[in-house]
Every structure is written in structure tokens, then in C-alpha cells.
């Protein structure tokens, strides 16, 4: 049995990240933004392709007690040979050649950034193979079909395949410029949001609109009968005026979002049915940035041909660091271990947390019954920042770097959106114990990574208004009490006080910032936002009485 150390790197488009796989098991994975505090790590432009997830990579190695010289292979989630042939002009085609040149130089950049690393050991993994591997190799269940849908890789935007004897067999790929992910990104930009970042806002806005341009979109966005699709150029202003970041949105914007969202869902259903017809089995592994669209995922589960759909928590480009590493580890003969958690980032022991609190000279307690003490604050309508264990890999806070609130009060959506500087129309999500979830929510369960929306059962809608979106849906995270005993204790303590076994859970960060990662980020965020209590491991810090700052 081969035993190897593989460092995975995503650096090409956005969300640079690193992952470390040892003997087929992931030991660390993190996004660069959590270290540099720059949301999404870098600008999504060709000039930034040289920027590597250096801090994330260094930390992954340190976490394993290794140096760069110990790495057997570096798996880089993009293959320059698959990119369009060089035009001889670095500026041509949106600087595409510059991107490819930087990728070719990546081994040297990596060797310079991580002294001791052997540039010869860098292996390029096709972008969509890396996405696919992040799903079919990491899935904790048997999967037979694999679907990847994103903005773009080297020259494609989609992959459909199947797993044969543990290995990927590709059945269809869609070449650029046709891209469902780029279609959605382009709409995101037209609606005044940040491209390759705020697509989830478009998804939320869609719930406020009617898909009245669905027929028009069906004519220009359509499948080709061979597992691929066509996306013709679309002039968005035909449907709704361009919105700028600070403008109010109107019905045409919401209707356009609803129309594109509906067409995306139909397209995913068609692609999934085509794939199912060729593979027959009922288990799908799904990844790529589009797989973060939890409304579409829920419809795919509800109306599509698959019994189970497994999506990795880092389904976007950050996850290709792990996918590429798993793929290379398997190539080298390692048996791949399934993913058990998204908590693959940094963690601190009690002593380090105490030192951070003492360093800030903040009053704190160490309650004997932490869950009860925190539930008291929540039941009295406090907002609690919760920092426990290792941070999450992927865009969702799953109870390790979370903000919690009482779901019984609708006004808490607005309170949290103020803390986070989010749009008012954005929903916040519920967290519930797995055994309680089916009584309250209708949809795919378990849902440990918050990648599907659920219908809130009618009898619960008025009891937990803060987590019910305008269309009656909620994006639930289910908590397995064996995997997350402290979260389970908190949910139970809150239920004992309120009769409601649900908490509002949103990511612990303020406007425009990545999720907090280290204790200092947490203290800074607590110090600058209207959060009532901060929990750092076993310690509880309460907001002091408020003095007026008026002159
Ligand atoms: Fe991608």
C-alpha cells in the first residue's frame, strides 16, 4: 500500500485554498481568505493567477508537523495543457494566455513561496476532475454518477461522468463559452452584486419574483441532446435595467432573477436525467460552484432521478484543492478515506483561547454548564457568537464559527443582517438536531452541510419566523449529536427554555469580511458588532453595559 503526502492547491480563478492529504485521509484544508482576511482571497482576474494560497499551505503543513520537503506530490487544480492554445499575445482573449503562463510557472512560484518544496513534484489535475474528485472520492456513500457544473475550468464548464471501480469515466463535457455558471455570474453582475461571490444573493432575490421570462430563456439556454448545452449571449437590459450596488431593486430585477434561477433548475434537471439514463444507478456526486445553489439542489433532489445527492461542503473552487489532492493520492495507490466533517481548518486549545482573552483584558466566565449559560442568553434574545473547534472548509458556517439567535423573533433577521451588513432580503438559516428536523422541515435529510433548502412545515412557520424565507423555505443544517455533542447540548438547552428545538445560524463575520478564523478575529468582531455574548471554547464573554458615546 502506497503512503503519500499530497498538498492540494487551488489558485487559478478565485477562492484560493490548500488541503493536505496523508495516506489517503484529509488532515487539513483551509481557504486563504481566512488567513489574509481578504474575502475570496483575491480578485477573480487573470492577473491574480500567480497568487498562491501560501498561508493556507504553510498552515496545512504545520498542522501535520511537516515541512515542504516532506511533500511527495503537489496537486494543482488546473491543467495548462487543456487551456486554449496560446495566441502569442498575452493580452488576447481577456488575458487568457497570461493565466496559462502563470499556471505553467506555478511550480516555480510554489518552490519560492514554500522553501524546500520540489517544483518537479507539482502535478496538474484538470479543474473539473478536481471538482469531481472532491465529490465522488470524498462522498461517505457509494456514488455512481458524477456531475460538475461551474463557471469555467480550462476550456469547459461542465462534466458528466460515472465512477467505475472507484475511477472517473467522463461521459460528457461542455466546452466554453457555453456556461451555466458564467450565465449566473453575469446576471449577478447585472443585478449590482459582486460576480463570483454574491450569486447566493441572486438566488435569494429570485424568491421575490415571478419567472415571467422563463420561455424567452428556454430559447437561448437549452440542452443539446448529447449531455451538454447551449447558452447564447443574453442582453440582460432587454429584461431589466442594470442595477448599481446602492440602488434599490425592483420587480423586474426579482423577476429576472426568478427566471434565470428557474431555467438553471430546469437545465440541471435535464443534465441529471441524461446522466441517469446512461448510468442507471441512483446516487449522484455533485460539485462545482453551481452546486452551492441550494434551491436548485433541493429541486434536483425533489424532481430529479436520483435517490441521493451528495455535495461536498466546499463545492466551489476552494474545494478543488482537496479534490485534486485526493485524486493524486488515489493515482499513487492510496486508499481514500471519506470525508466526515467540514471542520478541517484551524483550531485552538483552551490555553491558547485563555491567552487571547487575557491578552485583550476582557472579563470572562468559564461556566460549568456552557450550553445552559449560552441558551439563557439566546432565550433572552441575545445574539451569540460561537467559536468552537476547527474552522469550516467551504463557505458555510456549520456551528464552529457561527452567530446564533432566537428563531422565534422575525426581527432577528434584520438584526443579524445589520451585524453582517447584508441585504435586507437575505434569509438566515436554521440549525436543528437531526432527529427533530423531519418534524419541522420537509426536504433532504440529513443536511449536515446546508446545501439544500427545505419547506418549513406549516405548523412551524409562525413559531420560527426568523428562519422562514419569503417562499416558505429554509436552508437547514442538521446536527448529528454524536459528531457534535456540544451543539446538540446547546439546541436541547434552548429547547428546554423555549419549546423550540431550532436556532438561527449564520456565519460569524461582519460586512465584507471572511468568516472569523482565529481567536483574535473573533475578539475584534465581538468588539465592533452588536453581539451580546462571545463563546470561545469553554469561555463566555458578555457584552458590558452600554454607555452612551454621544458627546
Ligand atoms: Fe470551478
Amino acid at each position: 500500500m502506497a503512503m503519500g503526502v499530497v498538498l492540494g492547491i487551488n489558485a487559478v480563478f478565485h477562492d484560493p485554498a490548500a488541503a493536505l492529504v496523508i495516506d489517503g485521509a484529509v488532515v487539513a484544508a483551509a481557504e486563504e481568505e481566512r488567513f489574509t482576511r481578504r474575502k475570496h482571497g483575491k480578485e477573480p482576474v487573470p492577473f491574480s493567477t500567480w497568487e498562491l494560497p501560501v498561508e493556507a499551505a504553510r498552515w496545512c503543513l504545520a498542522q501535520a508537523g511537516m515541512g515542504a520537503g516532506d511533500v511527495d506530490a503537489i496537486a494543482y487544480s488546473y491543467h495548462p495543457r487543456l487551456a486554449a492554445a496560446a495566441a502569442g499575445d498575452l493580452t488576447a482573449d481577456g488575458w487568457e494566455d497570461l493565466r496559462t503562463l502563470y499556471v505553467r510557472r506555478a511550480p516555480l512560484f510554489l518552490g519560492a513561496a514554500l522553501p524546500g518544496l520540489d517544483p518537479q513534484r507539482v502535478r496538474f489535475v484538470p479543474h473539473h476532475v478536481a471538482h469531481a474528485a472532491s465529490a465522488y472520492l470524498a462522498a461517505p456513500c457509494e456514488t455512481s454518477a458524477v456531475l460538475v457544473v461551474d463557471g469555467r475550468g480550462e476550456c469547459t464548464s461542465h462534466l458528466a461522468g460515472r465512477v467505475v471501480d472507484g475511477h472517473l469515466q467522463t461521459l460528457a463535457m461542455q466546452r466554453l463559452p457555453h456556461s451555466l455558471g458564467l450565465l449566473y455570474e453575469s446576471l449577478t453582475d447585472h443585478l449590482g452584486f459582486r460576480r463570483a461571490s454574491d450569486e447566493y444573493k441572486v438566488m435569494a432575490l429570485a424568491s421575490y419574483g415571478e419567472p415571467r421570462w422563463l420561455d424567452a430563456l428556454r430559447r437561448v439556454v437549452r440542452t443539446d441532446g448529447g449531455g451538454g448545452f447551449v447558452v447564447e449571449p443574453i442582453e440582460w437590459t432587454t429584461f431589466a435595467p442594470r442595477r448599481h450596488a446602492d440602488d434599490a431593486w425592483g420587480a423586474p430585477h426579482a423577476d429576472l432573477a426568478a427566471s434565470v434561477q428557474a431555467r438553471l433548475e430546469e437545465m440541471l434537471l435535464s443534465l441529471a436525467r441524461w446522466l441517469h439514463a446512461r448510468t442507471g444507478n441512483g446516487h449522484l456526486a455533485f460539485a462545482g460552484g453551481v452546486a452551492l445553489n441550494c434551491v436548485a439542489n433541493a429541486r434536483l433532489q425533489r424532481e430529479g432521478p436520483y435517490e441521493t445527492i451528495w455535495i461536498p461542503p466546499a463545492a466551489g473552487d476552494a474545494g478543488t484543492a482537496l479534490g485534486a489532492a485526493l485524486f493524486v493520492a488515489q493515482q499513487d495507490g492510496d486508499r481514500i478515506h471519506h470525508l466526515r466533517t467540514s471542520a478541517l481548518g484551524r483550531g485552538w486549545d483552551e490555553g491558547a483561547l485563555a491567552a487571547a482573552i487575557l491578552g485583550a483584558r476582557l472579563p470572562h466566565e468559564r461556566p460549568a454548564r456552557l450550553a445552559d449559560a449560552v441558551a439563557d442568553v439566546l432565550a433572552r434574545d441575545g445574539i451569540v457568537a460561537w467559536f468552537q473547534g476547527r474552522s469550516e472548509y467551504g463557505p458555510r458556517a456549520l456551528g464552529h464559527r457561527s452567530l446564533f439567535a432566537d428563531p422565534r423573533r422575525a426581527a432577528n433577521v434584520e438584526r443579524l443582517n445589520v451585524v453582517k451588513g447584508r441585504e435586507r432580503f437575505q434569509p438566515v438559516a436554521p440549525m436543528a438536531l437531526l432527529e427533530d428536523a423531519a418534524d419541522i422541515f420537509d426536504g433532504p435529510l440529513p443536511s449536515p452541510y446546508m446545501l439544500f433548502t427545505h419547506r418549513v412545515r406549516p405548523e412551524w412557520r409562525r413559531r420560527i419566523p426568523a428562519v422562514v424565507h419569503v417562499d416558505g423555505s429554509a436552508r437547514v443544517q442538521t446536527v448529528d449529536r454524536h459528531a457534535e455533542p456540544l451543539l446538540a447540548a446547546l439546541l436541547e438547552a434552548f429547547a428546554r427554555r423555549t419549546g423550540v428545538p431550532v436556532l438561527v445560524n449564520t456565519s460569524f463575520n461582519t460586512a465584507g469580511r471572511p468568516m472569523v478564523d482565529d481567536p483574535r478575529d473573533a475578539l475584534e468582531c465581538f468588539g465592533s458588532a452588536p453581539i451580546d455574548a462571545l463563546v470561545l471554547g469553554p469561555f463566555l464573554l458578555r457584552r458590558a453595559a452600554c454607555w452612551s458615546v454621544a458627546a
Side-chain angles (χ1 to χ4, degrees), residues 407-411 413 428 460-469:
R408 295 173 301 166
R409 296 168 204 272
V413 183
V428 288
W460 277 91
R461 286 184 194 158
R462 288 169 61 162
R463 296 185 67 186
I464 49 172
V467 295
V468 184
H469 195 31

Side-chain angles (χ1 to χ4, degrees), residues 127 131 150 152 289 317 320:
H127 185 76
H131 269 308
D150 70 354
R152 61 164 293 187
D317 273 9
T320 64

